[in-house]
Amino acid sequence: MTGEPEAAPEASEHNRFFRLLNRVSDAGVIAGGCALIAITLIVTYDVIVRFIGHPTIWATEISGYLLIAVAVLGAADTLRRNEHFAMTLLVDTLRGQVRRWVSLAAWCLVLLLVAGLVLGIAALIANSARFGLRSYTILQVPLVLPQIVLLVGFVILALALAGRVIALVRRFRAHTTRRE
């Protein structure tokens, strides 16, 4: 065993939808990387000014929001590279067509879960905007701002999951056609 993840089913897909999906996923990684750089700069600045006796009142809160951005904006790319943590104990015991069906069903359930999160976060954003909700900190950041980042990250992840399901269905059909 090499320790390397096996190739994601969608890695072999090259049509327009999957190319667009790859670009959107790459944009999420770039945005997440920029957030990580911003965290580094903010924390470094905070350490320096704290050392000279002038701590910031904003660094911890903004870094926390940016940390959420790093996590959610890179999730689709992690899926695309098949590097997510996965519990495959049950699936690994299955063989052939049963394994493919169970895998497809599992990914469909994950897609439904993430779609539910997208809808829930959209409702949360609407509620925050409607009531003008702000953080209970000295900065009083409008909560729609970090919530929109969450929504974008989960929408990108949902698209990546849809791509995974489509690729699995295509692979399943191709395998079934070859057997006939």
Side-chain angles (χ1 to χ4, degrees), residues 64-121:
Y65 295 139
L66 290 170
L67 186 59
I68 292 168
V70 170
V72 299
L73 293 174
D77 190 65
T78 304
L79 175 71
R80 189 176 72 164
R81 296 175 188 278
N82 229 20
E83 294 178 347
H84 270 287
F85 174 76
M87 300 285 290
T88 60
L89 182 63
L90 173 66
V91 176
D92 287 346
T93 64
L94 304 173
R95 297 287 173 241
Q97 194 169 4
V98 173
R99 181 177 182 151
R100 284 187 286 280
W101 275 111
V102 170
S103 180
L104 178 60
W107 285 112
C108 287
L109 288 172
V110 173
L111 175 57
L112 287 174
L113 172 70
V114 172
L117 285 170
V118 166
L119 293 174
I121 294 168

Side-chain angles (χ1 to χ4, degrees), residues 4-152:
E4 292 293 319
E6 67 181 57
E10 60 274 19
S12 61
E13 300 283 345
H14 300 290
N15 65 32
R16 188 178 306 163
F17 171 74
F18 286 95
R19 286 193 305 267
L20 176 63
L21 191 58
N22 288 341
R23 282 191 222 113
V24 170
S25 178
D26 288 342
V29 168
I30 290 167
C34 290
L36 189 58
I37 291 168
I39 292 170
T40 304
L41 294 173
I42 289 169
V43 169
T44 301
Y45 173 78
D46 194 45
V47 166
I48 291 168
V49 297
R50 187 176 298 264
F51 180 74
I52 60 176
H54 303 285
T56 65
I57 60 171
W58 54 269
T60 302
E61 182 176 1
I62 299 301
S63 294
Y65 295 139
L66 290 170
L67 186 59
I68 292 168
V70 170
V72 299
L73 293 174
D77 190 65
T78 304
L79 175 71
R80 189 176 72 164
R81 296 175 188 278
N82 229 20
E83 294 178 347
H84 270 287
F85 174 76
M87 300 285 290
T88 60
L89 182 63
L90 173 66
V91 176
D92 287 346
T93 64
L94 304 173
R95 297 287 173 241
Q97 194 169 4
V98 173
R99 181 177 182 151
R100 284 187 286 280
W101 275 111
V102 170
S103 180
L104 178 60
W107 285 112
C108 287
L109 288 172
V110 173
L111 175 57
L112 287 174
L113 172 70
V114 172
L117 285 170
V118 166
L119 293 174
I121 294 168
L124 182 67
I125 291 169
N127 187 55
S128 294
R130 180 176 174 210
F131 294 108
L133 299 180
R134 295 180 169 272
S135 65
Y136 290 109
T137 62
I138 199 160
L139 294 182
Q140 295 188 343
V141 173
L143 290 178
V144 295
L145 298 176
Q147 291 167 353
I148 286 172
V149 174
L150 272 176
L151 180 65
V152 168

